[in-house]
Amino acid sequence: MTALPRTGLPGTVPAGTVPAGEEPGHDGPSDLHAHFDQTLDRERRIEPRDWMPDAYRSTMIRQIAQHAHSEIIGMQPEGNWITRAPSLRRKAILIAKVQDEAGHGMYLYSAAETLGADRADLTDKLVHGRQKYSSIFNYPTLTYADVGVIGWLVDGAAICNQVPLCRSSYGPYARAMVRICKEESFHQRQGYELLMTMMRGTAAQRAMVQDATNRFWWPSLMMFGPPDDQSPNTAQSMAWGIKRHTNDELRQRFVDMTVPQAEKLGVTLPDPDLRWNAQREHCDFGSVDWAEFMAVVKGNGPCNAQRVARRKAAHDEGAWVREAAAAYAAKHARREAA
């Protein structure tokens, strides 16, 4: 991959965000770019009050917003099974997990706000199709085994993707990821434990787990994004230290990690080309259906319309709560000012 330069991009300097002595016209834009590059070269983090290029700011808003949207939309597939979970213990586990995902979304929207984004505007862009979320959440959860497979495969893929983001160059995003990754690791263990329990059950339960694995395996590999040679953002994000590994590197890591887990679980991953390559010291695996991936990303997946419509309905139904909270805050602000 050809590395892209960090400098040479236009930059904005929002009022009050540049340290004294570094204002435009004092040292000049080239010095601001140089300071930005030096911060990254020294493996230090960019903070909200630091100067940054326009392109870096917009890239971070896009990535964080997409991540936040994914956490919020991602509540729906598993939330669908809360009332149908087979025991009180399983219901409590699922409620706690869905609640965690809501919290992750809030952390991330807050991180986006430090870049000047408006949370209401981000939500509006989501429900009107102008911002994306992870393609994996556009697949239906047909059986209760899907809950376990989402924990094992989907959260497992998320962990592979997100742990390196704890070292992302933008400080608020990296710090939010530390807590999110801890909770996602717990979610993966919960999912795997559920599947182990089902695999010790009846033949019908084991078949249910295998069916769920068959349906979610390939979409889980798509979670890492398109191949490196087709990814428009990877090179620049790597140059800026936003990402630490390419899509293909993370996908390979996930496959290598998951194969022994599948063997322990007793399921077969649905890929006839999957085998250990002693020369590469990695697993070889088959080709992902990127046409399916692009169709889902463009809004033509099994559940795209349903997911966005439900998010819009929830947002509209919660308008009175937001209005009441704003009125309450304004009342107390007036009292304190009096």
Side-chain angles (χ1 to χ4, degrees):
M1 182 185 302
T2 302
L4 298 185
R6 290 172 178 153
T7 56
L9 297 168
T12 56
V13 188
T17 63
V18 181
E22 294 186 11
E23 299 87 349
H26 187 283
D27 292 321
S30 62
D31 290 322
L32 293 173
H33 274 293
H35 180 73
F36 174 81
D37 288 347
Q38 288 170 5
T39 301
L40 299 181
D41 289 339
R42 294 170 181 168
E43 294 290 324
R44 295 178 181 173
R45 288 174 174 167
I46 304 299
E47 298 296 341
R49 294 180 64 84
D50 293 339
W51 182 92
M52 64 190 76
D54 280 344
Y56 180 89
R57 184 184 302 275
S58 62
T59 295
M60 288 307 316
I61 291 174
R62 176 189 57 78
Q63 178 165 329
I64 296 173
Q66 179 172 316
H67 192 166
H69 297 331
S70 299
E71 298 285 356
I72 298 300
I73 294 288
M75 297 164 64
Q76 293 185 38
E78 291 177 287
N80 180 46
W81 281 93
I82 289 174
T83 59
R84 295 178 287 166
S87 69
L88 183 59
R89 174 175 177 266
R90 294 296 179 187
K91 290 179 193 293
I93 289 172
L94 201 47
I95 289 171
K97 181 182 179 183
V98 171
Q99 179 176 282
D100 284 348
E101 306 299 354
H104 298 172
M106 296 303 102
Y107 304 153
L108 293 165
Y109 284 130
S110 295
E113 287 174 328
T114 67
L115 290 156
D118 179 77
R119 190 176 308 203
D121 180 59
L122 297 180
T123 300
D124 185 72
K125 288 177 178 177
L126 169 65
V127 300
H128 289 96
R130 299 197 302 276
Q131 285 186 339
K132 305 295 185 182
Y133 56 91
S134 179
S135 62
I136 191 69
F137 300 118
N138 290 311
Y139 291 87
T141 46
L142 303 179
T143 72
Y144 184 63
D146 290 18
V147 172
V149 169
I150 287 174
W152 172 39
L153 295 181
V154 176
D155 292 337
I159 291 165
C160 278
N161 205 12
Q162 293 172 11
V163 165
L165 294 177
C166 295
R167 298 185 293 115
S168 180
S169 60
Y170 188 60
Y173 188 37
R175 289 188 287 273
M177 291 312 306
V178 172
R179 179 167 181 174
I180 290 172
C181 286
K182 289 178 180 179
E183 293 180 352
E184 292 292 0
S185 296
F186 190 58
H187 298 166
Q188 189 200 26
R189 291 195 296 272
Q190 287 178 328
Y192 196 74
E193 182 272 334
L194 169 58
L195 297 180
M196 289 291 286
T197 300
M198 294 186 71
M199 290 299 288
R200 291 193 294 266
T202 65
Q205 288 173 318
R206 291 192 292 273
M208 192 183 298
V209 173
Q210 182 63 62
D211 173 68
T213 301
N214 293 346
R215 286 183 286 106
F216 277 93
W217 172 247
W218 292 107
S220 295
L221 295 187
M222 297 175 192
M223 287 178 64
F224 298 96
D228 294 343
D229 60 0
Q230 299 176 32
S231 176
N233 301 309
T234 292
Q236 186 64 79
S237 292
M238 295 278 289
W240 278 330
I242 298 170
K243 292 182 65 169
R244 298 291 177 166
H245 304 282
T246 71
N247 297 351
D248 288 337
E249 289 170 352
L250 293 168
R251 193 168 9 254
Q252 181 68 68
R253 180 180 297 182
F254 173 68
V255 172
D256 292 344
M257 176 187 78
T258 306
V259 167
Q261 295 174 355
E263 293 174 354
K264 177 69 173 178
L265 189 59
V267 299
T268 301
L269 297 175
D271 181 357
D273 297 325
L274 186 63
R275 58 181 57 85
W276 177 253
N277 186 320
Q279 183 175 2
R280 292 198 313 120
E281 296 188 340
H282 291 289
C283 289
D284 292 336
F285 56 97
S287 299
V288 177
D289 185 349
W290 293 114
E292 176 185 330
F293 170 76
M294 291 308 301
V296 175
V297 168
K298 292 177 180 179
N300 300 316
C303 297
N304 291 65
Q306 174 186 333
R307 299 289 188 243
V308 173
R310 183 69 194 95
R311 178 68 189 97
K312 185 177 186 304
H315 185 69
D316 292 344
E317 291 165 6
W320 70 271
V321 178
R322 296 190 298 276
E323 292 168 3
Y328 181 80
K331 181 178 71 173
H332 276 263
R334 289 193 298 270
R335 286 179 179 176
E336 290 179 1

